[in-house]
Amino acid sequence: MPLAEIEPVSRESTAAIIARQLREAIMNGSLPPGTQLGETELASQFQVSRGPLREAMQRLVSEGLLRSERHRGLFVIDLEAEDIHDIYSARLAIERAAVLRVLAGDQAAAAERLEEAVREMAEAPDGDGVSEADIRFHEVLVAASGSKRLVRMSRTLLIETRMCLSALRRTYSSEEERVTEHKRITEAIRDGDREAALSLLEAHMEDAVQRLAPGTTLLP
């Protein structure tokens, strides 16, 4: 395409800004699963007309974050046991492949970056900070694989992963438990212990599924 035919990049629309803020609220748990979204209240809160608000909410419907119920309105999606199983099955497949690539490469450098994420978890001032560091740990793990495709696949699960972590944090008696799980995975990677690294990763994912959907089993 000739350069002269390229259109100027437009500024972010009002609908896009609203969609982004609603998306973030869903991810961090400010809008918990099952919450009904009222147009009147949200239009007043955002100080916008209903037009861009409706457009924003339809974007989230198309992304699968909101569901529409006839004669009732729009609701934040509920993560059912089957959804949780699917999310963690996909994550395990991606991160297991990442661990194998990391162990075949510069595992010491990867372990150093993972240790930094674990330190962030340990030093986080609250549960939200721990969850953010938790996300970074897994992003670092996948990025350390050097696979752009694994990174892209992992990012498609980011919103649902954040929703899971928001719910998951309430199941731990202390944040130290979460830190310890990630620390052990890091140590196995630093030691180059393939069996331990994979076993700990699988146990980590299985434990999350059991906490979020009791009675659901991730591994055969």
Side-chain angles (χ1 to χ4, degrees):
M1 176 187 292
L3 200 59
E5 294 181 18
I6 294 179
E7 297 279 338
V9 176
S10 60
R11 293 183 179 179
E12 189 175 23
S13 68
T14 300
I17 294 171
I18 295 171
R20 173 165 48 78
Q21 292 191 33
L22 288 175
R23 194 181 296 113
E24 289 173 355
I26 292 171
M27 285 193 297
N28 65 29
S30 297
L31 287 174
T35 300
Q36 183 173 13
L37 302 187
E39 281 190 10
T40 302
E41 295 83 354
L42 285 174
S44 174
Q45 188 171 348
F46 283 114
Q47 297 184 358
V48 297
S49 64
R50 295 194 181 189
L53 176 62
R54 286 172 179 168
E55 181 183 341
M57 292 196 292
Q58 284 306 311
R59 291 189 186 195
L60 298 189
V61 169
S62 66
E63 292 175 14
L65 295 179
L66 297 180
R67 56 182 170 81
S68 177
E69 291 191 12
R70 189 180 179 89
H71 304 309
R72 292 195 64 203
L74 295 175
F75 297 80
V76 177
I77 61 166
D78 292 293
L79 290 178
E80 306 292 345
E82 184 178 351
D83 300 313
I84 292 167
H85 183 278
D86 283 349
I87 292 165
Y88 278 89
S89 291
R91 286 189 59 198
L92 179 57
I94 292 167
E95 296 189 30
R96 191 179 190 283
V99 167
L100 292 174
R101 290 178 65 104
V102 166
L103 291 175
D106 190 347
Q107 61 200 43
E112 187 173 339
R113 294 194 293 273
L114 290 170
E115 285 169 353
E116 182 178 346
V118 171
R119 282 195 297 272
E120 288 181 17
M121 290 183 71
E123 295 170 1
D126 52 33
D128 287 338
V130 174
S131 292
E132 284 301 312
D134 190 333
I135 286 282
R136 277 193 293 278
F137 177 94
H138 292 279
E139 287 178 331
V140 167
L141 175 60
V142 177
S145 73
S147 169
K148 295 178 181 179
R149 289 171 180 80
L150 289 178
V151 170
R152 283 202 302 269
M153 287 189 288
S154 181
R155 284 176 180 167
T156 64
L157 297 167
L158 182 59
I159 292 177
E160 291 171 313
T161 296
R162 286 182 182 274
M163 291 177 69
C164 287
L165 287 179
S166 179
L168 191 62
R169 57 174 286 199
R170 296 190 290 271
T171 70
Y172 283 93
S173 58
S174 73
E175 301 298 352
E176 187 178 347
E177 290 182 69
R178 300 170 69 182
V179 175
T180 299
E181 288 180 13
H182 292 79
K183 184 178 180 181
R184 287 174 177 166
I185 294 171
T186 302
E187 290 171 347
I189 289 174
R190 178 174 287 284
D191 294 342
D193 190 333
R194 180 179 182 275
E195 183 177 348
L198 294 177
S199 178
L200 287 165
L201 178 65
E202 291 171 356
H204 176 58
M205 298 291 186
E206 175 72 26
D207 179 66
V209 170
Q210 291 287 341
R211 288 172 181 271
L212 292 170
T216 302
T217 301
L218 179 63
L219 301 172

